[in-house]
Amino acid sequence: MVRNKILFVGLFFLITGMVSAQSTKWQIDKSHTKIQFVTKHMKISNVTGQFKEYSGDIKADQEDFTDVDIRVTIPVESIDTDNEKRDEHLRGEDFFEVEEYPEIKFQSVSISKEGDSQYKLKGELTIKDVTRTETFKMEHLGTVEAMGDIRAGFKLTGKIDRFDYNVDWDSSFGQGLVVGRDVEINIDAELIKQE
């Protein structure tokens, strides 16, 4: 009987601890945040683009962000490569099929500290009808109190294979000759702590 009570109390604190974890919200400062990508064109030059719209639900209680929980949604319609004709092609059925798959989503799964400010961030990335676990390098650039807020800066980098997500135009005749198969992800983010 006593043992059952001890187990119950331990389970109660474990569950309530999990529920209360990551209660501090962090808002994305869009004026100091960019979600960018880079891929090859004809294997001789780089094309850089960004997503101009996005929303995020980010929570972390620890000062070093080792407990961070990240959920980001990106409307694909907001893609911008500084060329409207190319952007329309990317939105169409050869690439993202934006009418059928309007959003890209990312949900963090785990984070591990690799150094003083270096992390390995794993998460589930959903593009079109495919969800895969991807790993990104994350650097915590610092946390400061400025302009009446507590702000934290980050840089995330990684690489994905667009063919893995059925964004595979050019796969049949060039294996990515015209548009690169590998896509580099570069994210600069500034977060504002919410009280």
Side-chain angles (χ1 to χ4, degrees):
M1 188 72 170
V2 174
R3 184 179 177 181
N4 287 342
K5 284 184 178 180
I6 292 172
L7 288 172
F8 176 79
V9 170
L11 185 61
F12 173 79
F13 280 111
L14 177 63
I15 292 172
T16 54
M18 289 172 65
V19 169
S20 63
Q22 301 148 315
S23 60
T24 304
K25 293 184 178 182
W26 293 78
Q27 180 181 345
I28 298 173
D29 180 357
K30 291 190 175 182
S31 62
H32 297 97
T33 298
K34 280 195 174 181
I35 299 177
Q36 297 180 308
F37 58 89
V38 181
T39 191
K40 291 286 187 185
H41 177 248
M42 296 288 194
K43 296 189 175 182
I44 62 169
S45 63
N46 287 332
V47 173
T48 301
Q50 65 176 319
F51 292 98
K52 301 183 83 171
E53 298 295 330
Y54 46 84
S55 60
D57 182 13
I58 301 169
K59 297 178 182 177
D61 291 334
Q62 301 298 322
E63 290 185 5
D64 63 358
F65 289 85
T66 49
D67 66 338
V68 72
D69 181 69
I70 303 170
R71 300 173 192 222
V72 175
T73 300
I74 302 170
V76 183
E77 183 72 28
S78 71
I79 197 167
D80 179 14
T81 64
D82 203 28
N83 183 305
E84 186 56 37
K85 185 176 180 180
R86 179 169 56 214
D87 294 344
E88 284 302 318
H89 190 198
L90 291 170
R91 294 181 187 113
E93 62 181 20
D94 284 338
F95 287 92
F96 287 105
E97 299 182 78
V98 68
E99 290 189 8
E100 187 170 357
Y101 307 106
E103 295 177 333
I104 293 172
K105 295 186 177 182
F106 178 80
Q107 163 70 63
S108 63
V109 173
S110 66
I111 184 167
S112 57
K113 203 165 185 177
E114 304 287 299
D116 287 343
S117 60
Q118 306 293 323
Y119 302 80
K120 184 184 291 183
L121 176 68
K122 286 187 178 181
E124 293 184 345
L125 179 64
T126 301
I127 300 175
K128 293 178 71 172
D129 55 345
V130 178
T131 299
R132 293 173 56 89
T133 300
E134 300 284 359
T135 301
F136 297 93
K137 292 180 180 179
M138 185 175 89
E139 182 180 3
H140 179 202
L141 301 175
T143 302
V144 298
E145 187 168 351
M147 297 181 283
D149 295 307
I150 296 176
R151 296 170 175 266
F154 298 89
K155 186 169 188 65
L156 284 83
T157 57
K159 185 182 290 186
I160 64 170
D161 182 341
R162 66 181 175 92
F163 287 9
D164 288 342
Y165 295 92
N166 296 328
V167 184
D168 55 4
W169 181 79
D170 190 26
S171 65
S172 61
F173 61 91
Q175 289 292 305
L177 175 62
V178 179
V179 179
R181 178 170 178 167
D182 291 332
V183 181
E184 296 177 19
I185 310 295
N186 299 304
I187 300 173
D188 291 292
E190 187 168 312
L191 307 180
I192 302 174
K193 188 176 183 179
Q194 305 297 289
E195 297 299 333

